[in-house]
Amino acid sequence: MPEPTGFGRLLPSETSHYTDPVTGVEVKVLTSHPAGSSKPYQTHPTWTADGEWILFRSDRDDGAQAYLVHETRGDILQLTEGATDTGSLNLDPASNTLYFMRRADEGRQLIGLNLKTLIPDALAGSIGPRTEYERVISTLPPDLRDSGGFAIDADGSAAYWGVGFGPAPDRSAALATAGRRVIDQQNLDPTEEREAARLRFEIQGRGPGGIRRIDLITGELSTVIDVDFRMGHVQTNPWVPGEIIYCHETTGDAPQRIWTVRADGSDNRPLYVETPDEWVTHETVSGADEVMFNLMAHLPYLAQKPSGVCVVDLRTGAMRVLGQAPGQGFWHCNGSPDRRWAVADDFTGNVTLIDRRSGELTVLTTDHKMRPDHTHPIFSPDSKRVLIQSGRPTDGRALDLMLIDIPAALQGREPALPQPSPAG
Protein backbone atom coordinates (compact mmCIF):
# COMPACT_ATOMS: atom_id res chain seq x y z
CA MET A 1 0.00 0.00 0.00
CA PRO A 2 1.53 3.39 -0.95
CA GLU A 3 2.41 5.85 1.76
CA PRO A 4 -0.25 8.57 2.23
CA THR A 5 0.80 11.94 0.87
CA GLY A 6 -1.76 14.25 2.44
CA PHE A 7 0.38 15.86 5.15
CA GLY A 8 0.64 19.61 4.69
CA ARG A 9 -1.58 19.81 1.62
CA LEU A 10 -3.87 22.80 1.12
CA LEU A 11 -7.46 22.27 0.02
CA PRO A 12 -9.81 24.87 -1.42
CA SER A 13 -12.48 26.69 0.55
CA GLU A 14 -15.82 24.98 1.11
CA THR A 15 -17.39 28.06 2.70
CA SER A 16 -20.99 29.11 2.14
CA HIS A 17 -23.61 31.13 4.00
CA TYR A 18 -27.31 30.94 4.74
CA THR A 19 -29.81 32.93 6.76
CA ASP A 20 -31.58 31.04 9.51
CA PRO A 21 -35.25 31.07 8.46
CA VAL A 22 -36.47 31.36 12.07
CA THR A 23 -34.04 33.80 13.69
CA GLY A 24 -32.81 35.76 10.66
CA VAL A 25 -29.19 35.29 11.82
CA GLU A 26 -26.57 34.62 9.14
CA VAL A 27 -24.75 31.31 9.53
CA LYS A 28 -21.35 30.71 7.97
CA VAL A 29 -20.81 27.11 6.85
CA LEU A 30 -17.09 26.28 6.86
CA THR A 31 -17.06 22.71 5.53
CA SER A 32 -19.15 20.71 3.08
CA HIS A 33 -17.24 17.52 2.25
CA PRO A 34 -19.49 14.43 1.92
CA ALA A 35 -17.37 12.59 4.50
CA GLY A 36 -18.39 15.10 7.15
CA SER A 37 -16.30 17.29 9.45
CA SER A 38 -16.46 17.39 13.24
CA LYS A 39 -14.92 19.68 15.82
CA PRO A 40 -13.12 18.72 19.03
CA TYR A 41 -15.31 18.37 22.08
CA GLN A 42 -16.31 21.69 23.65
CA THR A 43 -13.98 21.09 26.61
CA HIS A 44 -10.86 21.62 24.46
CA PRO A 45 -9.33 24.61 22.60
CA THR A 46 -10.37 24.77 18.95
CA TRP A 47 -8.64 27.89 17.56
CA THR A 48 -4.93 28.27 16.84
CA ALA A 49 -2.87 30.81 18.79
CA ASP A 50 -3.46 33.60 16.25
CA GLY A 51 -7.24 33.06 16.35
CA GLU A 52 -7.35 32.50 12.57
CA TRP A 53 -7.56 28.72 12.12
CA ILE A 54 -10.10 26.22 13.49
CA LEU A 55 -9.21 22.61 14.23
CA PHE A 56 -11.40 19.75 12.99
CA ARG A 57 -11.32 16.07 12.05
CA SER A 58 -12.58 14.43 8.88
CA ASP A 59 -12.41 11.03 7.18
CA ARG A 60 -11.85 12.17 3.59
CA ASP A 61 -9.47 10.23 1.30
CA ASP A 62 -6.70 9.43 3.79
CA GLY A 63 -8.61 7.93 6.70
CA ALA A 64 -9.60 9.99 9.74
CA GLN A 65 -7.18 12.93 9.97
CA ALA A 66 -6.81 16.34 11.61
CA TYR A 67 -7.28 19.52 9.60
CA LEU A 68 -7.40 23.29 10.04
CA VAL A 69 -9.84 25.59 8.28
CA HIS A 70 -9.07 29.31 8.00
CA GLU A 71 -12.01 31.13 9.55
CA THR A 72 -11.95 34.06 7.08
CA ARG A 73 -10.57 32.65 3.80
CA GLY A 74 -11.93 29.14 4.20
CA ASP A 75 -8.84 27.30 2.92
CA ILE A 76 -8.17 23.94 4.58
CA LEU A 77 -4.83 22.50 5.69
CA GLN A 78 -4.31 18.78 6.36
CA LEU A 79 -2.22 18.28 9.51
CA THR A 80 -1.83 14.53 9.88
CA GLU A 81 -1.60 11.35 7.82
CA GLY A 82 -1.38 7.62 8.42
CA ALA A 83 -2.72 5.82 11.49
CA THR A 84 -3.89 8.90 13.41
CA ASP A 85 -6.17 8.72 16.46
CA THR A 86 -8.44 11.72 16.01
CA GLY A 87 -10.71 11.06 19.00
CA SER A 88 -8.73 13.47 21.20
CA LEU A 89 -6.98 16.37 19.44
CA ASN A 90 -5.38 18.98 21.66
CA LEU A 91 -4.18 22.46 20.72
CA ASP A 92 -1.80 24.23 23.05
CA PRO A 93 -2.44 27.87 22.06
CA ALA A 94 0.58 29.18 23.98
CA SER A 95 3.10 27.16 21.92
CA ASN A 96 0.83 26.70 18.86
CA THR A 97 1.36 22.94 19.03
CA LEU A 98 -1.13 20.23 18.17
CA TYR A 99 -0.92 17.08 20.29
CA PHE A 100 -2.45 13.82 19.10
CA MET A 101 -1.89 10.07 19.26
CA ARG A 102 -0.69 7.84 16.43
CA ARG A 103 -0.54 4.05 16.04
CA ALA A 104 2.99 2.93 15.12
CA ASP A 105 4.99 -0.33 15.04
CA GLU A 106 6.43 0.60 18.44
CA GLY A 107 2.94 1.09 19.88
CA ARG A 108 0.70 4.12 20.30
CA GLN A 109 2.65 7.36 20.46
CA LEU A 110 1.89 10.86 21.69
CA ILE A 111 2.97 13.32 18.98
CA GLY A 112 3.58 17.06 19.13
CA LEU A 113 3.10 18.93 15.82
CA ASN A 114 4.66 22.39 15.47
CA LEU A 115 2.06 24.60 13.80
CA LYS A 116 4.22 27.72 14.08
CA THR A 117 6.38 26.48 11.22
CA LEU A 118 3.98 24.11 9.46
CA ILE A 119 1.30 26.71 8.65
CA PRO A 120 3.57 29.32 7.00
CA ASP A 121 5.52 26.61 5.14
CA ALA A 122 2.31 25.11 3.78
CA LEU A 123 1.00 28.51 2.70
CA ALA A 124 4.30 29.22 0.97
CA GLY A 125 4.25 25.87 -0.83
CA SER A 126 7.53 24.85 0.80
CA ILE A 127 6.39 22.01 3.04
CA GLY A 128 9.20 19.76 4.26
CA PRO A 129 9.18 16.15 5.47
CA ARG A 130 6.73 15.39 8.26
CA THR A 131 9.61 14.68 10.66
CA GLU A 132 10.69 18.35 10.47
CA TYR A 133 7.48 19.38 12.23
CA GLU A 134 6.67 16.44 14.49
CA ARG A 135 8.17 15.23 17.74
CA VAL A 136 7.45 11.88 19.39
CA ILE A 137 6.77 12.77 23.01
CA SER A 138 6.21 9.29 24.41
CA THR A 139 5.35 5.72 23.44
CA LEU A 140 2.37 4.73 25.55
CA PRO A 141 2.32 1.54 27.63
CA PRO A 142 0.18 -1.22 26.10
CA ASP A 143 -1.52 -2.10 29.40
CA LEU A 144 -3.35 1.25 29.48
CA ARG A 145 -6.32 1.98 27.22
CA ASP A 146 -7.95 5.31 26.45
CA SER A 147 -10.82 6.38 28.67
CA GLY A 148 -11.80 10.03 28.60
CA GLY A 149 -9.25 11.41 26.16
CA PHE A 150 -6.40 13.70 27.16
CA ALA A 151 -5.87 17.40 27.79
CA ILE A 152 -2.95 19.84 27.97
CA ASP A 153 -2.02 21.76 31.12
CA ALA A 154 -2.54 25.52 31.05
CA ASP A 155 1.23 26.06 31.22
CA GLY A 156 1.92 23.57 28.42
CA SER A 157 4.08 21.37 30.62
CA ALA A 158 2.11 18.13 30.58
CA ALA A 159 -0.69 16.10 29.05
CA TYR A 160 -3.21 14.44 31.35
CA TRP A 161 -4.45 11.17 29.88
CA GLY A 162 -7.63 9.42 30.96
CA VAL A 163 -7.11 5.67 31.07
CA GLY A 164 -8.63 2.31 31.86
CA PHE A 165 -6.57 -0.68 32.94
CA GLY A 166 -6.88 -4.28 34.03
CA PRO A 167 -9.46 -6.64 32.51
CA ALA A 168 -11.96 -4.78 30.36
CA PRO A 169 -15.28 -4.43 32.24
CA ASP A 170 -18.16 -6.51 30.90
CA ARG A 171 -20.62 -3.88 29.68
CA SER A 172 -22.36 -6.43 27.43
CA ALA A 173 -21.91 -6.45 23.67
CA ALA A 174 -25.13 -4.56 22.99
CA LEU A 175 -24.27 -1.67 25.28
CA ALA A 176 -20.59 -1.51 24.44
CA THR A 177 -21.23 -1.25 20.70
CA ALA A 178 -24.27 1.03 20.83
CA GLY A 179 -23.84 4.07 18.61
CA ARG A 180 -24.51 7.68 19.56
CA ARG A 181 -28.01 7.58 18.12
CA VAL A 182 -28.90 4.37 19.98
CA ILE A 183 -27.68 5.82 23.29
CA ASP A 184 -29.65 9.01 22.65
CA GLN A 185 -32.81 7.01 21.97
CA GLN A 186 -32.36 5.08 25.21
CA ASN A 187 -31.64 8.17 27.30
CA LEU A 188 -34.59 10.08 25.84
CA ASP A 189 -37.13 7.30 26.36
CA PRO A 190 -39.72 8.58 28.88
CA THR A 191 -41.14 5.05 29.34
CA GLU A 192 -37.91 3.50 30.63
CA GLU A 193 -38.11 2.76 34.36
CA ARG A 194 -35.63 4.70 36.45
CA GLU A 195 -34.18 1.56 38.02
CA ALA A 196 -33.67 -0.02 34.58
CA ALA A 197 -31.85 3.13 33.46
CA ARG A 198 -29.72 3.17 36.58
CA LEU A 199 -28.69 -0.45 36.00
CA ARG A 200 -27.75 0.40 32.41
CA PHE A 201 -25.66 3.34 33.59
CA GLU A 202 -24.04 1.28 36.35
CA ILE A 203 -22.91 -1.30 33.78
CA GLN A 204 -21.56 1.39 31.45
CA GLY A 205 -19.83 3.24 34.29
CA ARG A 206 -17.73 0.40 35.66
CA GLY A 207 -14.02 0.99 36.09
CA PRO A 208 -11.35 1.02 37.18
CA GLY A 209 -10.02 4.20 35.62
CA GLY A 210 -7.38 6.82 36.18
CA ILE A 211 -5.40 9.80 34.95
CA ARG A 212 -1.76 9.67 33.90
CA ARG A 213 0.54 12.67 33.52
CA ILE A 214 2.82 12.74 30.48
CA ASP A 215 5.68 15.23 30.72
CA LEU A 216 5.73 17.03 27.35
CA ILE A 217 9.49 17.58 27.48
CA THR A 218 10.80 14.24 28.73
CA GLY A 219 7.87 11.96 27.92
CA GLU A 220 7.91 10.60 31.47
CA LEU A 221 4.66 8.94 32.56
CA SER A 222 3.37 9.20 36.12
CA THR A 223 0.12 8.58 37.98
CA VAL A 224 -2.14 11.47 38.94
CA ILE A 225 -4.96 9.38 40.40
CA ASP A 226 -6.77 6.04 40.13
CA VAL A 227 -10.51 5.67 40.74
CA ASP A 228 -12.94 2.76 40.95
CA PHE A 229 -15.15 3.95 38.09
CA ARG A 230 -14.90 4.63 34.35
CA MET A 231 -12.83 7.74 33.66
CA GLY A 232 -14.36 10.32 31.33
CA HIS A 233 -14.02 13.78 29.77
CA VAL A 234 -10.59 14.73 31.12
CA GLN A 235 -10.05 18.47 30.74
CA THR A 236 -7.86 21.16 32.25
CA ASN A 237 -8.49 24.66 33.54
CA PRO A 238 -7.09 26.97 30.80
CA TRP A 239 -6.40 29.67 33.40
CA VAL A 240 -4.98 27.64 36.30
CA PRO A 241 -2.01 25.29 35.75
CA GLY A 242 -2.27 21.90 37.40
CA GLU A 243 -6.07 21.89 37.77
CA ILE A 244 -7.93 18.95 36.17
CA ILE A 245 -11.66 18.32 35.77
CA TYR A 246 -12.96 14.84 34.96
CA CYS A 247 -16.16 12.85 35.21
CA HIS A 248 -17.65 9.45 35.98
CA GLU A 249 -18.61 8.33 32.48
CA THR A 250 -21.77 6.23 32.28
CA THR A 251 -23.09 7.39 28.84
CA GLY A 252 -25.94 8.94 30.83
CA ASP A 253 -26.74 9.75 34.44
CA ALA A 254 -24.05 9.14 37.08
CA PRO A 255 -24.40 8.98 40.87
CA GLN A 256 -21.74 11.73 41.04
CA ARG A 257 -20.76 13.14 37.66
CA ILE A 258 -18.18 15.95 38.07
CA TRP A 259 -14.83 15.64 39.88
CA THR A 260 -11.70 17.76 40.19
CA VAL A 261 -8.12 16.94 41.18
CA ARG A 262 -4.73 18.64 41.22
CA ALA A 263 -1.97 17.40 38.94
CA ASP A 264 -0.08 15.93 41.91
CA GLY A 265 -3.12 13.87 42.91
CA SER A 266 -4.10 16.09 45.83
CA ASP A 267 -7.51 17.61 46.56
CA ASN A 268 -9.44 14.96 44.63
CA ARG A 269 -13.12 15.71 45.29
CA PRO A 270 -16.59 15.84 43.78
CA LEU A 271 -17.55 19.16 42.23
CA TYR A 272 -21.21 20.03 42.64
CA VAL A 273 -22.37 17.23 44.90
CA GLU A 274 -25.55 16.06 43.20
CA THR A 275 -28.63 14.39 44.60
CA PRO A 276 -30.14 11.10 43.31
CA ASP A 277 -32.93 12.92 41.47
CA GLU A 278 -30.56 15.15 39.44
CA TRP A 279 -28.99 14.30 36.07
CA VAL A 280 -25.76 16.30 35.71
CA THR A 281 -23.84 16.31 32.44
CA HIS A 282 -21.59 18.07 29.90
CA GLU A 283 -19.38 20.01 32.25
CA THR A 284 -16.80 22.44 30.84
CA VAL A 285 -14.44 24.93 32.46
CA SER A 286 -15.90 28.38 31.79
CA GLY A 287 -13.65 30.62 33.89
CA ALA A 288 -10.63 30.56 36.16
CA ASP A 289 -12.83 29.69 39.13
CA GLU A 290 -15.89 28.01 37.65
CA VAL A 291 -17.28 25.05 35.74
CA MET A 292 -20.43 25.21 33.62
CA PHE A 293 -22.74 22.19 33.28
CA ASN A 294 -26.29 21.12 32.54
CA LEU A 295 -28.94 19.96 34.99
CA MET A 296 -31.15 17.98 32.64
CA ALA A 297 -34.94 18.21 32.35
CA HIS A 298 -35.73 15.96 29.39
CA LEU A 299 -37.63 13.30 31.36
CA PRO A 300 -40.81 13.86 33.41
CA TYR A 301 -39.23 13.22 36.81
CA LEU A 302 -36.32 15.57 36.05
CA ALA A 303 -38.68 18.40 35.07
CA GLN A 304 -40.03 18.46 38.62
CA LYS A 305 -36.79 20.00 39.94
CA PRO A 306 -34.76 23.13 39.12
CA SER A 307 -32.76 22.60 35.93
CA GLY A 308 -30.84 24.36 33.18
CA VAL A 309 -27.37 25.65 32.39
CA CYS A 310 -25.52 26.09 35.69
CA VAL A 311 -22.17 27.32 36.96
CA VAL A 312 -20.42 26.02 40.06
CA ASP A 313 -17.59 27.87 41.81
CA LEU A 314 -14.42 25.76 41.94
CA ARG A 315 -13.32 27.41 45.18
CA THR A 316 -16.53 27.70 47.22
CA GLY A 317 -18.87 25.13 45.64
CA ALA A 318 -21.60 27.76 45.22
CA MET A 319 -23.92 26.98 42.29
CA ARG A 320 -26.45 29.03 40.34
CA VAL A 321 -28.73 28.32 37.39
CA LEU A 322 -28.22 30.66 34.43
CA GLY A 323 -31.24 29.71 32.35
CA GLN A 324 -33.33 26.94 30.82
CA ALA A 325 -34.96 26.31 27.45
CA PRO A 326 -38.67 25.50 27.23
CA GLY A 327 -39.77 21.92 26.64
CA GLN A 328 -37.13 19.28 27.26
CA GLY A 329 -34.50 21.87 28.18
CA PHE A 330 -30.86 22.34 27.25
CA TRP A 331 -28.36 19.56 26.51
CA HIS A 332 -24.77 20.85 26.00
CA CYS A 333 -23.32 24.18 27.12
CA ASN A 334 -20.28 26.41 27.09
CA GLY A 335 -19.17 29.78 28.45
CA SER A 336 -17.49 32.68 26.69
CA PRO A 337 -13.91 33.48 27.79
CA ASP A 338 -15.01 36.97 28.91
CA ARG A 339 -17.75 35.41 31.12
CA ARG A 340 -20.45 37.53 29.47
CA TRP A 341 -22.28 34.70 27.70
CA ALA A 342 -23.29 31.10 27.90
CA VAL A 343 -24.42 29.08 24.90
CA ALA A 344 -26.42 25.87 24.87
CA ASP A 345 -28.15 23.53 22.46
CA ASP A 346 -31.44 21.75 23.06
CA PHE A 347 -32.96 18.46 21.96
CA THR A 348 -34.40 19.91 18.75
CA GLY A 349 -31.03 21.27 17.62
CA ASN A 350 -31.62 24.93 18.43
CA VAL A 351 -28.62 26.92 19.72
CA THR A 352 -29.41 29.58 22.33
CA LEU A 353 -27.32 32.42 23.74
CA ILE A 354 -27.71 33.26 27.45
CA ASP A 355 -26.77 36.71 28.72
CA ARG A 356 -25.16 36.00 32.08
CA ARG A 357 -25.88 39.53 33.34
CA SER A 358 -29.59 39.70 32.57
CA GLY A 359 -30.54 36.04 32.10
CA GLU A 360 -32.03 36.88 28.69
CA LEU A 361 -32.22 33.94 26.26
CA THR A 362 -31.77 34.55 22.51
CA VAL A 363 -32.11 31.71 20.00
CA LEU A 364 -29.28 32.16 17.48
CA THR A 365 -29.94 29.35 15.03
CA THR A 366 -32.29 26.39 14.66
CA ASP A 367 -32.85 22.85 13.40
CA HIS A 368 -29.34 21.36 13.60
CA LYS A 369 -30.66 17.78 13.80
CA MET A 370 -28.35 16.58 16.65
CA ARG A 371 -27.26 13.67 14.47
CA PRO A 372 -25.01 11.97 13.59
CA ASP A 373 -23.70 13.85 16.63
CA HIS A 374 -24.59 16.83 18.80
CA THR A 375 -23.66 20.45 18.07
CA HIS A 376 -21.15 20.82 20.97
CA PRO A 377 -21.05 24.66 20.88
CA ILE A 378 -17.94 26.63 21.80
CA PHE A 379 -17.05 30.34 21.76
CA SER A 380 -14.28 31.96 19.75
CA PRO A 381 -11.32 33.25 21.82
CA ASP A 382 -12.65 36.83 21.54
CA SER A 383 -16.13 35.75 22.77
CA LYS A 384 -17.81 37.14 19.63
CA ARG A 385 -18.71 33.98 17.70
CA VAL A 386 -20.08 30.52 18.36
CA LEU A 387 -18.77 27.43 16.56
CA ILE A 388 -20.93 24.33 16.19
CA GLN A 389 -21.03 21.12 14.20
CA SER A 390 -24.33 20.53 12.44
CA GLY A 391 -26.20 17.80 10.59
CA ARG A 392 -28.61 20.30 9.08
CA PRO A 393 -27.22 20.51 5.50
CA THR A 394 -27.33 16.71 5.10
CA ASP A 395 -30.46 16.01 7.17
CA GLY A 396 -28.38 14.29 9.80
CA ARG A 397 -26.22 12.06 7.57
CA ALA A 398 -22.94 13.95 8.13
CA LEU A 399 -21.64 16.95 10.06
CA ASP A 400 -20.44 20.36 8.89
CA LEU A 401 -18.74 23.15 10.84
CA MET A 402 -20.68 26.39 11.24
CA LEU A 403 -19.96 29.82 12.74
CA ILE A 404 -22.55 32.21 14.14
CA ASP A 405 -21.75 35.80 15.10
CA ILE A 406 -23.28 37.09 18.30
CA PRO A 407 -25.60 39.86 17.04
CA ALA A 408 -24.04 43.30 17.38
CA ALA A 409 -27.15 44.62 19.12
CA LEU A 410 -26.53 42.16 21.96
CA GLN A 411 -22.75 42.60 22.16
CA GLY A 412 -22.90 46.32 22.91
CA ARG A 413 -25.34 46.32 25.80
CA GLU A 414 -22.98 46.30 28.77
CA PRO A 415 -19.36 45.44 29.63
CA ALA A 416 -18.22 41.90 30.38
CA LEU A 417 -17.04 40.66 33.73
CA PRO A 418 -13.26 40.87 34.25
CA GLN A 419 -11.38 37.65 33.50
CA PRO A 420 -7.71 36.75 33.93
CA SER A 421 -5.71 36.00 30.77
CA PRO A 422 -4.96 32.33 30.01
CA ALA A 423 -1.55 31.12 31.09
CA GLY A 424 1.08 31.19 28.39
Side-chain angles (χ1 to χ4, degrees), residues 315-358:
R315 314 305 161 207
T316 68
M319 187 276 280
R320 66 188 180 100
V321 179
L322 300 180
Q324 179 63 297
Q328 292 178 301
F330 289 126
W331 206 349
H332 307 78
C333 60
N334 212 303
S336 62
D338 66 2
R339 294 178 64 215
R340 170 68 187 276
W341 311 103
V343 66
D345 57 30
D346 61 30
F347 289 82
T348 63
N350 298 336
V351 178
T352 297
L353 187 73
I354 304 173
D355 188 324
R356 293 186 57 174
R357 288 290 183 95
S358 67

Side-chain angles (χ1 to χ4, degrees), residues 17-41:
H17 298 78
Y18 74 92
T19 300
D20 190 290
V22 176
T23 67
V25 172
E26 184 177 85
V27 179
K28 185 175 185 178
V29 182
L30 293 171
T31 61
S32 60
H33 194 280
S37 304
S38 58
K39 57 181 285 301
Y41 204 59

Side-chain angles (χ1 to χ4, degrees), residues 39-44 46-47 282-285 292 294 309 330-336 342-346 349-353 364-365 368 370 373-380 385-390 401-404:
K39 57 181 285 301
Y41 204 59
Q42 69 264 24
T43 53
H44 285 41
T46 311
W47 270 262
H282 298 140
E283 63 288 337
T284 180
V285 180
M292 191 171 289
N294 260 312
V309 175
F330 289 126
W331 206 349
H332 307 78
C333 60
N334 212 303
S336 62
V343 66
D345 57 30
D346 61 30
N350 298 336
V351 178
T352 297
L353 187 73
L364 295 176
T365 181
H368 291 284
M370 303 300 269
D373 204 350
H374 312 133
T375 69
H376 298 159
I378 190 171
F379 284 92
S380 59
R385 296 173 303 290
V386 173
L387 175 70
I388 63 171
Q389 57 187 21
S390 170
L401 299 187
M402 298 185 176
L403 267 176
I404 306 99

Side-chain angles (χ1 to χ4, degrees), residues 4-283:
T5 57
F7 172 78
R9 65 173 174 164
L10 283 170
L11 302 171
S13 172
E14 300 170 2
T15 299
S16 63
H17 298 78
Y18 74 92
T19 300
D20 190 290
V22 176
T23 67
V25 172
E26 184 177 85
V27 179
K28 185 175 185 178
V29 182
L30 293 171
T31 61
S32 60
H33 194 280
S37 304
S38 58
K39 57 181 285 301
Y41 204 59
Q42 69 264 24
T43 53
H44 285 41
T46 311
W47 270 262
T48 53
D50 58 12
E52 295 186 359
W53 298 84
I54 293 170
L55 179 65
F56 71 99
R57 63 176 69 86
S58 185
D59 190 351
R60 299 188 173 208
D61 53 8
D62 189 17
Q65 303 298 340
Y67 297 82
L68 293 174
V69 57
H70 194 275
E71 181 181 328
T72 304
R73 299 191 306 266
D75 43 322
I76 292 170
L77 171 61
Q78 183 171 336
L79 301 178
T80 62
E81 63 184 11
T84 306
D85 288 342
T86 59
S88 190
L89 300 171
N90 283 270
L91 282 172
D92 175 20
S95 65
N96 217 12
T97 301
L98 172 68
Y99 293 97
F100 62 94
M101 293 188 183
R102 172 182 291 138
R103 301 177 298 281
D105 292 341
E106 301 88 342
R108 293 176 68 249
Q109 296 176 324
L110 177 62
I111 307 293
L113 176 64
N114 183 350
L115 300 181
K116 285 188 297 186
T117 54
L118 173 60
I119 293 174
D121 285 0
L123 293 176
S126 59
I127 195 75
R130 194 175 72 188
T131 51
E132 290 186 7
Y133 307 94
E134 289 184 355
R135 183 169 69 92
V136 178
I137 308 296
S138 180
T139 299
L140 306 174
D143 59 327
L144 297 177
R145 56 184 180 272
D146 290 323
S147 184
F150 73 100
I152 306 301
D153 201 313
D155 63 9
S157 63
Y160 301 107
W161 178 31
V163 301
F165 50 88
D170 180 9
R171 298 190 178 103
S172 84
L175 285 174
T177 60
R180 178 74 264 166
R181 191 176 301 183
V182 173
I183 292 171
D184 284 351
Q185 289 170 349
Q186 292 174 320
N187 290 349
L188 295 175
D189 182 1
T191 68
E192 184 180 30
E193 296 291 334
R194 290 184 70 179
E195 290 310 312
R198 284 171 172 163
L199 175 60
R200 180 161 58 87
F201 298 142
E202 190 277 326
I203 292 171
Q204 285 288 75
R206 290 173 183 170
I211 300 174
R212 300 294 179 265
R213 181 186 188 274
I214 305 173
D215 189 294
L216 292 178
I217 300 299
T218 67
E220 179 184 2
L221 189 80
S222 57
T223 298
V224 176
I225 194 169
D226 287 332
V227 295
D228 61 0
F229 52 76
R230 181 179 176 182
M231 179 58 59
H233 290 269
V234 175
Q235 59 184 293
T236 53
N237 187 330
W239 293 275
V240 180
E243 188 161 53
I244 304 167
I245 309 298
Y246 66 97
C247 81
H248 179 185
E249 179 58 79
T250 66
T251 70
D253 194 11
Q256 172 59 48
R257 166 80 181 196
I258 314 174
W259 296 75
T260 182
V261 66
R262 298 294 302 176
D264 61 4
S266 63
D267 197 24
N268 182 56
R269 57 189 170 86
L271 184 62
Y272 184 69
V273 179
E274 61 191 273
T275 61
D277 55 359
E278 292 177 319
W279 184 322
V280 173
T281 195
H282 298 140
E283 63 288 337

